Amino acid sequence: MHRKWWNLIRIRTIETGAEPGGGEPPQPEPPQPEPPQSDPQANTGGEGDEKLGEHGMTALKNERRANKSLREQLAAANARIKEFEDRDKTDAEKASERIASLEKSNTGNAAKALRYEVAVDKQLPKVLAERLQGSTREELEADADSLLKLVSVQNKPNVKPDPSQGKGGDPKPHSLSEAISAYYK
């Protein structure tokens, strides 16, 4: 008899989230009005959100809202830190940072252009140009050659065509009587 009551208490605990022994169940937070969303995809979840139920969806929305506000606070804090760091820099230091970032961008763009040039020269599909690896033109060309070998191996059919299918070697009959006589030969 005692085990029966203990199982009921455990079931109650699981269902309500209360402590064993008759504690008060937690009170749900009152729903807060949702702020207007600028990005409709920002707070949409995965495919399993519908299975959460009403309380689960409320908790998930609250968590996403808190996450969004924390990300905004972090971005604002990073901007202030950058502002304080830049305040003490001279114009020459700011210019040198800008030059360094432009040089880095220029190097990346030059490498990308070289990959596309090699891909065009080797008649490699544009989709595969991004996959070329190497720092010099020779390395990129060697990589393109090996990639072309792989692509050509995959594009070759493994099955030879059946000569009995399609147009045969016999000439077509010009009339119905020729077709009938050719059939019965």
Side-chain angles (χ1 to χ4, degrees):
M1 181 79 162
H2 176 56
R3 283 187 74 67
K4 179 179 172 185
W5 288 104
W6 178 248
N7 286 338
L8 288 176
I9 291 173
R10 289 180 60 195
I11 290 173
R12 180 171 176 256
T13 303
I14 292 170
E15 289 177 355
T16 63
E19 293 295 321
E24 290 286 325
Q27 299 297 323
E29 293 180 17
Q32 300 172 354
E34 286 195 34
Q37 298 293 327
S38 60
D39 182 13
Q41 296 294 327
N43 281 344
T44 58
E47 295 176 7
D49 286 356
E50 299 82 28
K51 298 177 184 175
L52 295 177
E54 182 180 335
H55 295 293
M57 287 299 293
T58 304
L60 184 62
K61 287 178 184 177
N62 290 339
E63 191 66 30
R64 286 181 179 162
R65 199 176 306 117
N67 187 0
K68 182 179 178 184
S69 67
L70 288 175
R71 278 187 271 132
E72 290 170 355
Q73 289 175 3
L74 179 63
N78 285 339
R80 287 215 42 178
I81 289 171
K82 181 73 173 158
E83 180 182 311
F84 283 124
E85 288 174 351
D86 290 346
R87 180 181 64 185
D88 296 334
K89 291 183 182 178
T90 64
D91 289 337
E93 290 175 336
K94 291 178 186 177
S96 66
E97 282 184 2
R98 175 122 171 96
I99 289 171
S101 69
L102 289 174
E103 286 177 348
K104 183 178 177 182
S105 173
N106 185 29
T107 304
N109 290 339
K112 187 175 181 179
L114 184 59
R115 277 197 307 270
Y116 279 111
E117 285 178 19
V118 169
V120 167
D121 290 345
K122 296 291 183 173
Q123 296 178 347
L124 193 67
K126 182 181 174 184
V127 176
L128 297 177
E130 292 285 331
R131 299 189 182 270
L132 293 178
Q133 296 183 2
S135 56
T136 64
R137 185 173 189 87
E138 292 77 26
E139 291 173 354
L140 289 170
E141 287 176 348
D143 192 32
D145 289 335
S146 64
L147 194 56
L148 272 174
K149 288 178 186 175
L150 290 173
V151 170
S152 65
V153 166
Q154 288 180 349
N155 288 340
K156 287 183 182 176
N158 293 335
V159 180
K160 293 185 179 183
D162 187 2
S164 66
Q165 295 179 349
K167 183 177 179 182
D170 298 332
K172 288 186 174 180
H174 294 291
S175 67
L176 181 61
S177 61
E178 288 179 9
I180 293 172
S181 64
Y183 179 77
Y184 286 110
K185 281 186 183 178

